[in-house]
Amino acid sequence: MGYWDVPEGTDCVEKTWITTKLATALGLVGTAYHMVAFQPDTAMEGLQRAGNTTVTMAALGAIFGMVTCLSAQARESPDDPVNYFIGGCASGIFLGARTHNAMTGTSACLGLGALAYFSKVAKKEGWTILTSPKL
């Protein structure tokens, strides 16, 4: 079952699990590219970097999935794109806390919130995101 197959504001655990898996996969891919571009001096350093990046990305996905679902339940408006902004912003705040930098948190909150908001708007409008056009 995919993320968009689960109705908004229901089955928060399933939606969180899906976003966590996706974010973890993106973290692993990003780590692989980073390791190739900036090779670590030791195997232990490489393992620490890989774990750090992957766990951070997994946490971002989990936070987004849970906060988006819970805000849909609390606000009683499950299809509102604002729920996605709230989830993206919460993920950005975590990123700021993780880096110990308020500007990073503020920027990431606004950036990830806007990205999530417009992704939901695009989905509601029936736009295809990151897919090739059907010929």
Side-chain angles (χ1 to χ4, degrees):
M1 184 173 268
Y3 181 81
W4 298 109
D5 297 333
V6 180
E8 300 293 338
T10 63
D11 201 1
C12 290
V13 174
E14 178 68 22
K15 288 190 91 85
T16 301
W17 177 241
I18 292 169
T19 56
T20 303
K21 288 190 300 186
L22 178 62
T24 302
L26 289 173
L28 286 170
V29 169
T31 296
Y33 279 108
H34 190 262
M35 293 288 187
V36 169
F38 305 101
Q39 294 185 353
D41 295 330
T42 64
M44 186 56 139
E45 181 187 353
L47 189 61
Q48 286 175 330
R49 269 202 259 163
N52 186 23
T53 304
T54 303
V55 169
T56 299
M57 286 297 292
L60 290 173
I63 290 167
F64 174 80
M66 188 56 71
V67 170
T68 301
C69 189
L70 291 177
S71 70
Q73 289 178 354
R75 297 180 65 241
E76 297 178 0
S77 55
D79 284 328
D80 190 0
V82 173
N83 297 327
Y84 279 67
F85 181 85
I86 294 168
C89 186
S91 295
I93 290 170
F94 170 76
L95 199 57
R98 180 83 178 85
T99 60
H100 305 286
N101 189 322
M103 257 338 265
T104 298
T106 303
S107 301
C109 169
L110 294 174
L112 293 175
L115 179 66
Y117 179 90
F118 289 119
S119 294
K120 178 62 176 178
V121 168
K123 179 66 177 167
K124 282 178 72 172
E125 295 294 322
W127 301 341
T128 56
I129 301 172
L130 299 175
T131 59
S132 61
K134 294 180 181 174
L135 300 176

